[in-house]
Coordinates of all heavy atoms in Angstrom, one line a residue:
S40 N 26.9 144.0 2.3 CA 27.4 142.8 3.1 C 28.6 142.3 2.4 O 28.7 142.3 1.1 CB 26.3 141.8 3.2 OG 26.6 140.6 2.5
R41 N 29.6 141.8 3.1 CA 30.8 141.2 2.6 C 30.6 139.8 2.1 O 30.0 139.0 2.7 CB 31.8 141.3 3.7 CG 33.1 142.0 3.3 CD 34.1 142.1 4.4 NE 35.2 141.3 4.0 CZ 36.0 140.5 4.8 NH1 35.7 140.5 6.0 NH2 37.0 139.9 4.3
T42 N 31.2 139.5 1.0 CA 31.2 138.1 0.5 C 32.4 137.4 1.1 O 33.4 138.0 1.3 CB 31.3 138.1 -1.1 OG1 32.6 138.7 -1.4 CG2 30.2 138.7 -1.7
P43 N 32.2 136.1 1.3 CA 33.3 135.3 2.0 C 34.4 135.2 1.0 O 34.3 135.2 -0.2 CB 32.7 133.9 2.3 CG 31.4 133.9 1.4 CD 31.0 135.3 1.1
G44 N 35.6 135.2 1.6 CA 36.9 135.0 0.7 C 37.0 133.6 0.2 O 36.2 132.7 0.6
P45 N 38.0 133.4 -0.7 CA 38.1 132.1 -1.3 C 38.5 131.0 -0.3 O 38.0 129.9 -0.4 CB 39.3 132.3 -2.3 CG 39.7 133.7 -2.2 CD 38.8 134.4 -1.2
L46 N 39.3 131.3 0.7 CA 39.6 130.3 1.8 C 38.4 129.9 2.5 O 38.2 128.7 2.8 CB 40.7 130.8 2.7 CG 41.3 129.8 3.6 CD1 41.9 128.6 2.8 CD2 42.3 130.4 4.5
A47 N 37.5 130.8 2.9 CA 36.3 130.5 3.6 C 35.4 129.6 2.8 O 34.8 128.7 3.3 CB 35.5 131.8 4.0
V48 N 35.3 129.9 1.5 CA 34.5 129.1 0.6 C 35.0 127.7 0.5 O 34.3 126.7 0.6 CB 34.4 129.7 -0.9 CG1 33.8 128.8 -1.9 CG2 33.7 131.0 -0.8
L49 N 36.4 127.5 0.4 CA 37.0 126.2 0.4 C 36.7 125.4 1.7 O 36.4 124.3 1.7 CB 38.5 126.3 0.1 CG 39.0 126.6 -1.3 CD1 40.4 126.8 -1.3 CD2 38.6 125.4 -2.2
H50 N 36.8 126.1 2.8 CA 36.6 125.5 4.1 C 35.1 125.0 4.2 O 34.9 123.9 4.7 CB 37.0 126.4 5.2 CG 38.4 126.6 5.4 ND1 39.0 127.5 6.3 CD2 39.5 126.0 4.8 CE1 40.3 127.4 6.3 NE2 40.6 126.5 5.4
D51 N 34.2 125.8 3.8 CA 32.8 125.5 3.8 C 32.6 124.2 3.0 O 31.8 123.3 3.3 CB 31.9 126.6 3.3 CG 31.8 127.8 4.3 OD1 32.3 127.6 5.4 OD2 31.3 128.8 3.9
R52 N 33.2 124.1 1.8 CA 33.0 123.0 0.9 C 33.6 121.7 1.5 O 33.0 120.7 1.4 CB 33.7 123.3 -0.5 CG 33.5 122.3 -1.5 CD 32.1 122.3 -1.9 NE 31.8 121.1 -2.8 CZ 31.4 119.9 -2.4 NH1 31.2 119.7 -1.1 NH2 31.2 119.0 -3.2
I53 N 34.8 121.9 2.1 CA 35.4 120.7 2.8 C 34.6 120.2 4.0 O 34.3 119.0 4.1 CB 36.9 121.1 3.3 CG1 37.8 121.3 2.1 CG2 37.4 120.0 4.3 CD1 39.1 122.0 2.5
L54 N 34.0 121.2 4.7 CA 33.2 120.8 5.8 C 31.9 120.1 5.4 O 31.5 119.1 5.9 CB 32.8 122.1 6.7 CG 32.0 121.8 7.9 CD1 32.8 121.0 8.9 CD2 31.5 123.2 8.5
L55 N 31.3 120.6 4.3 CA 30.1 120.0 3.7 C 30.4 118.5 3.3 O 29.6 117.6 3.6 CB 29.6 120.8 2.6 CG 28.4 120.3 1.8 CD1 27.2 120.3 2.8 CD2 28.1 121.1 0.6
E56 N 31.5 118.3 2.6 CA 31.9 117.0 2.1 C 32.1 116.1 3.3 O 31.7 114.9 3.3 CB 33.1 117.1 1.2 CG 33.5 115.7 0.6 CD 32.3 115.1 -0.2 OE1 31.5 115.8 -0.8 OE2 32.3 113.8 -0.2
A57 N 32.9 116.6 4.3 CA 33.0 115.7 5.5 C 31.8 115.4 6.2 O 31.6 114.2 6.6 CB 34.0 116.5 6.5
K58 N 30.9 116.3 6.3 CA 29.6 116.0 6.9 C 28.8 114.9 6.2 O 28.2 114.0 6.7 CB 28.7 117.3 7.0 CG 29.1 118.2 8.1 CD 28.3 119.4 8.1 CE 28.5 120.3 9.3 NZ 27.7 121.6 9.3
R59 N 28.8 115.0 4.9 CA 28.2 114.0 4.0 C 28.8 112.6 4.2 O 28.1 111.6 4.4 CB 28.3 114.4 2.5 CG 27.4 115.5 2.1 CD 27.4 115.7 0.6 NE 26.5 116.7 0.2 CZ 26.8 117.6 -0.8 NH1 27.9 117.5 -1.4 NH2 26.0 118.5 -1.1
E60 N 30.1 112.6 4.3 CA 30.8 111.3 4.4 C 30.5 110.7 5.8 O 30.3 109.5 6.0 CB 32.3 111.4 4.2 CG 32.6 111.7 2.7 CD 33.9 111.1 2.3 OE1 34.5 110.2 2.9 OE2 34.4 111.6 1.3
L61 N 30.5 111.6 6.8 CA 30.2 111.1 8.2 C 28.7 110.5 8.3 O 28.5 109.5 8.9 CB 30.4 112.2 9.2 CG 31.8 112.6 9.5 CD1 31.9 113.9 10.1 CD2 32.5 111.5 10.3
M62 N 27.8 111.2 7.5 CA 26.4 110.8 7.6 C 26.1 109.5 6.8 O 25.3 108.7 7.2 CB 25.5 111.9 7.2 CG 25.3 113.0 8.2 SD 24.0 114.1 7.9 CE 24.4 114.8 6.4
F63 N 26.7 109.5 5.6 CA 26.3 108.5 4.7 C 27.3 107.4 4.3 O 27.0 106.5 3.5 CB 25.9 109.2 3.3 CG 24.8 110.2 3.5 CD1 25.0 111.5 3.2 CD2 23.5 109.8 3.9 CE1 24.0 112.4 3.4 CE2 22.5 110.7 4.1 CZ 22.8 112.0 3.8
T64 N 28.4 107.3 5.0 CA 29.4 106.2 4.8 C 29.8 105.7 6.1 O 29.6 106.2 7.2 CB 30.6 106.7 4.0 OG1 31.5 107.4 4.9 CG2 30.3 107.5 2.8
D65 N 30.4 104.5 6.1 CA 31.0 103.9 7.3 C 32.4 104.1 7.4 O 33.1 103.4 8.2 CB 30.6 102.3 7.3 CG 29.2 102.1 7.5 OD1 28.5 102.8 8.2 OD2 28.7 101.1 6.9
K66 N 33.0 105.0 6.6 CA 34.4 105.2 6.6 C 34.9 105.7 7.9 O 34.2 106.4 8.6 CB 34.8 106.3 5.6 CG 34.7 105.9 4.1 CD 35.1 107.0 3.3 CE 35.0 106.7 1.8 NZ 35.3 107.9 1.0
R67 N 36.1 105.3 8.3 CA 36.7 105.8 9.6 C 37.0 107.3 9.4 O 37.2 107.8 8.3 CB 38.0 105.1 9.8 CG 37.8 103.5 10.1 CD 39.1 102.8 10.3 NE 39.8 103.3 11.4 CZ 41.1 103.7 11.3 NH1 41.8 103.6 10.1 NH2 41.8 104.2 12.3
V68 N 37.0 108.0 10.6 CA 37.3 109.4 10.5 C 38.6 109.7 9.9 O 38.8 110.7 9.1 CB 37.1 110.0 11.9 CG1 37.6 111.5 12.0 CG2 35.7 109.9 12.5
A69 N 39.6 108.9 10.1 CA 40.9 109.1 9.5 C 40.8 109.0 8.0 O 41.5 109.8 7.3 CB 41.9 108.1 10.1
A70 N 40.0 108.1 7.5 CA 39.9 108.0 6.0 C 39.2 109.2 5.4 O 39.5 109.7 4.3 CB 39.2 106.7 5.7
I71 N 38.2 109.7 6.1 CA 37.5 110.9 5.7 C 38.4 112.1 5.7 O 38.4 112.9 4.8 CB 36.2 111.1 6.6 CG1 35.2 110.0 6.3 CG2 35.6 112.5 6.2 CD1 34.0 110.0 7.3
A72 N 39.2 112.2 6.8 CA 40.3 113.3 6.8 C 41.1 113.2 5.6 O 41.4 114.3 5.0 CB 41.1 113.1 8.1
F73 N 41.6 112.0 5.2 CA 42.5 111.9 4.1 C 41.7 112.3 2.8 O 42.3 113.0 2.0 CB 43.0 110.5 4.0 CG 44.0 110.2 2.9 CD1 45.3 110.7 2.9 CD2 43.6 109.6 1.7 CE1 46.2 110.5 1.9 CE2 44.4 109.4 0.6 CZ 45.7 109.8 0.7
D74 N 40.5 111.8 2.7 CA 39.7 112.2 1.5 C 39.5 113.7 1.3 O 39.4 114.2 0.2 CB 38.3 111.5 1.6 CG 38.3 110.0 1.4 OD1 39.4 109.5 1.0 OD2 37.3 109.4 1.6
C75 N 39.5 114.4 2.5 CA 39.2 115.8 2.5 C 40.5 116.6 2.4 O 40.6 117.8 2.4 CB 38.5 116.3 3.7 SG 36.8 115.7 3.7
G76 N 41.7 115.9 2.2 CA 43.0 116.6 2.0 C 43.8 116.8 3.2 O 44.8 117.5 3.1
F77 N 43.5 116.2 4.3 CA 44.2 116.3 5.5 C 45.2 115.1 5.7 O 44.8 114.0 5.5 CB 43.3 116.4 6.7 CG 42.5 117.6 6.9 CD1 41.4 117.8 6.2 CD2 43.0 118.7 7.6 CE1 40.6 118.9 6.3 CE2 42.3 119.9 7.7 CZ 41.1 120.0 7.0
E78 N 46.4 115.4 6.0 CA 47.4 114.3 6.2 C 47.3 113.8 7.6 O 47.6 112.7 8.0 CB 48.8 114.7 5.8 CG 49.0 115.0 4.4 CD 50.4 115.5 4.1 OE1 51.3 115.3 4.9 OE2 50.6 116.1 3.0
D79 N 46.8 114.7 8.6 CA 46.8 114.4 10.0 C 45.4 114.4 10.4 O 44.7 115.4 10.4 CB 47.6 115.4 10.7 CG 47.6 115.3 12.3 OD1 47.1 114.2 12.7 OD2 48.2 116.1 12.9
P80 N 44.9 113.2 10.9 CA 43.4 113.1 11.3 C 43.2 114.1 12.5 O 42.1 114.6 12.6 CB 43.3 111.7 11.8 CG 44.3 110.9 11.0 CD 45.5 111.9 10.8
A81 N 44.2 114.3 13.3 CA 43.9 115.2 14.5 C 43.7 116.7 14.0 O 42.9 117.4 14.6 CB 45.2 115.2 15.4
H82 N 44.4 117.1 13.0 CA 44.2 118.4 12.4 C 42.8 118.5 11.8 O 42.1 119.5 11.9 CB 45.3 118.7 11.3 CG 45.2 120.1 10.7 ND1 45.5 120.3 9.4 CD2 44.8 121.2 11.3 CE1 45.3 121.7 9.2 NE2 44.8 122.2 10.3
F83 N 42.4 117.5 11.1 CA 41.0 117.4 10.5 C 40.0 117.5 11.7 O 39.0 118.3 11.6 CB 40.8 116.1 9.8 CG 39.3 115.8 9.4 CD1 38.7 116.6 8.5 CD2 38.6 114.9 10.1 CE1 37.4 116.4 8.1 CE2 37.3 114.7 9.8 CZ 36.7 115.4 8.8
S84 N 40.2 116.8 12.8 CA 39.3 116.8 13.9 C 39.2 118.2 14.5 O 38.1 118.7 14.8 CB 39.7 115.9 15.0 OG 39.4 114.5 14.6
R85 N 40.3 119.0 14.6 CA 40.3 120.3 15.1 C 39.6 121.2 14.1 O 38.7 122.1 14.5 CB 41.7 120.8 15.3 CG 42.4 120.3 16.6 CD 43.6 121.0 16.9 NE 44.6 121.0 15.9 CZ 45.5 120.0 15.7 NH1 45.5 119.0 16.5 NH2 46.4 120.1 14.7
F86 N 39.9 121.1 12.8 CA 39.2 121.9 11.8 C 37.6 121.6 11.8 O 36.9 122.6 11.9 CB 39.7 121.4 10.4 CG 38.9 121.9 9.2 CD1 39.2 123.1 8.6 CD2 37.9 121.2 8.7 CE1 38.6 123.6 7.5 CE2 37.2 121.6 7.6 CZ 37.5 122.9 7.0
F87 N 37.3 120.4 11.9 CA 35.8 120.0 11.9 C 35.1 120.6 13.2 O 34.1 121.2 13.1 CB 35.6 118.5 11.9 CG 34.2 118.1 11.6 CD1 33.7 117.9 10.3 CD2 33.3 118.0 12.6 CE1 32.4 117.5 10.1 CE2 32.0 117.6 12.5 CZ 31.5 117.4 11.2
T88 N 35.8 120.3 14.3 CA 35.2 120.7 15.6 C 35.0 122.2 15.7 O 34.0 122.7 16.1 CB 36.0 120.2 16.8 OG1 36.1 118.8 16.7 CG2 35.4 120.6 18.1
Q89 N 36.0 123.0 15.2 CA 35.9 124.5 15.2 C 34.7 124.9 14.4 O 34.1 125.9 14.8 CB 37.2 125.1 14.6 CG 38.3 125.2 15.6 CD 39.5 125.9 14.9 OE1 39.7 125.8 13.7 NE2 40.3 126.7 15.7
R90 N 34.5 124.3 13.3 CA 33.4 124.8 12.4 C 32.1 124.2 12.6 O 31.1 124.9 12.4 CB 33.9 124.6 10.9 CG 35.0 125.6 10.5 CD 35.8 125.1 9.4 NE 36.8 126.1 9.1 CZ 38.0 126.1 9.7 NH1 38.3 125.3 10.7 NH2 38.9 127.1 9.4
A91 N 32.0 123.0 13.0 CA 30.7 122.3 13.2 C 30.2 122.4 14.7 O 29.1 122.1 15.0 CB 30.8 120.8 12.8
G92 N 31.1 122.7 15.6 CA 30.7 122.8 17.0 C 30.7 121.5 17.8 O 30.3 121.4 18.9
M93 N 31.1 120.4 17.1 CA 31.3 119.1 17.7 C 32.3 118.3 16.9 O 32.6 118.6 15.8 CB 29.9 118.4 17.8 CG 29.3 118.1 16.5 SD 27.7 117.2 16.6 CE 26.6 118.5 17.1
S94 N 32.8 117.2 17.6 CA 33.8 116.4 16.9 C 33.1 115.6 15.7 O 31.9 115.4 15.7 CB 34.4 115.4 17.9 OG 33.4 114.4 18.2
P95 N 34.0 115.1 14.8 CA 33.4 114.3 13.8 C 32.6 113.1 14.3 O 31.5 112.8 13.8 CB 34.7 113.8 13.0 CG 35.7 114.9 13.2 CD 35.4 115.4 14.7
R96 N 33.1 112.5 15.3 CA 32.4 111.3 15.8 C 31.1 111.7 16.5 O 30.1 111.0 16.3 CB 33.3 110.6 16.9 CG 34.3 109.7 16.3 CD 35.0 108.8 17.4 NE 36.0 108.0 16.7 CZ 37.2 108.3 16.4 NH1 37.6 109.6 16.7 NH2 38.1 107.5 15.8
A97 N 31.1 112.8 17.2 CA 29.8 113.3 17.8 C 28.8 113.7 16.7 O 27.6 113.4 16.8 CB 30.1 114.5 18.8
Y98 N 29.3 114.3 15.6 CA 28.4 114.6 14.5 C 27.8 113.4 13.9 O 26.6 113.4 13.6 CB 29.2 115.4 13.5 CG 28.4 115.9 12.3 CD1 27.7 117.1 12.4 CD2 28.2 115.2 11.2 CE1 26.8 117.5 11.4 CE2 27.4 115.6 10.2 CZ 26.7 116.8 10.3 OH 25.8 117.2 9.3
R99 N 28.6 112.4 13.7 CA 28.1 111.1 13.1 C 27.1 110.5 14.0 O 26.0 110.1 13.5 CB 29.3 110.2 12.9 CG 28.8 108.8 12.4 CD 29.9 107.9 12.1 NE 30.3 108.0 10.7 CZ 31.4 107.6 10.1 NH1 32.3 107.0 10.8 NH2 31.6 107.8 8.8
K100 N 27.3 110.5 15.3 CA 26.3 110.0 16.2 C 25.0 110.8 16.2 O 23.9 110.3 16.2 CB 26.9 109.9 17.6 CG 26.1 109.1 18.6 CD 26.8 109.0 19.9 CE 26.0 108.2 20.9 NZ 26.7 108.0 22.2
A101 N 25.2 112.2 16.3 CA 24.0 113.0 16.3 C 23.2 113.0 15.0 O 22.0 113.2 15.0 CB 24.5 114.5 16.5
S102 N 23.9 112.6 13.9 CA 23.1 112.6 12.6 C 22.3 111.3 12.5 O 21.6 111.1 11.5 CB 24.1 112.6 11.5 OG 24.9 111.4 11.3
G103 N 22.5 110.4 13.5 CA 21.7 109.1 13.5 C 22.4 108.0 12.8 O 21.8 107.0 12.6
H104 N 23.6 108.2 12.3 CA 24.3 107.2 11.6 C 25.0 106.3 12.7 O 25.8 106.8 13.5 CB 25.4 107.8 10.7 CG 26.1 106.8 9.8 ND1 25.5 106.2 8.7 CD2 27.3 106.1 10.0 CE1 26.3 105.4 8.2 NE2 27.5 105.3 8.9
A105 N 24.8 105.0 12.6 CA 25.3 104.1 13.6 C 26.8 103.8 13.5 O 27.4 103.4 14.4 CB 24.5 102.8 13.6
G106 N 27.3 104.0 12.2 CA 28.7 103.6 11.9 C 29.6 103.7 12.9 O 30.5 103.2 13.4

């Protein structure tokens, strides 16, 4: 089996951190995007949606976080 490349590992780590911030903080999505290294919140939203299968806001809502 093939091991994931370094970029895939970084993307997985960024996604994990974003998910944690969405679930456990009240930070705005734009602030989380910045924390994760994105200058453009729209780019972060596309990145997140492609990998998580839902938007950051939908993920936060689905996780049970009222924020």
Side-chain angles (χ1 to χ4, degrees):
S40 115
R41 234 178 114 215
T42 58
L46 190 58
V48 171
L49 283 173
H50 286 173
D51 288 349
R52 185 67 188 91
I53 291 167
L54 184 64
L55 179 65
E56 185 58 33
K58 286 179 173 181
R59 283 187 182 144
E60 291 209 23
L61 288 164
M62 284 195 298
F63 299 118
T64 75
D65 291 326
K66 289 182 184 177
R67 294 176 58 234
V68 171
I71 293 171
F73 183 76
D74 288 350
C75 290
F77 291 85
E78 292 181 19
D79 180 5
H82 184 214
F83 168 74
S84 284
R85 285 192 301 274
F86 168 90
F87 189 95
T88 301
Q89 279 183 326
R90 286 160 182 81
M93 64 179 76
S94 72
R96 280 189 179 83
Y98 183 85
R99 175 173 270 166
K100 190 172 181 183
S102 74
H104 186 80

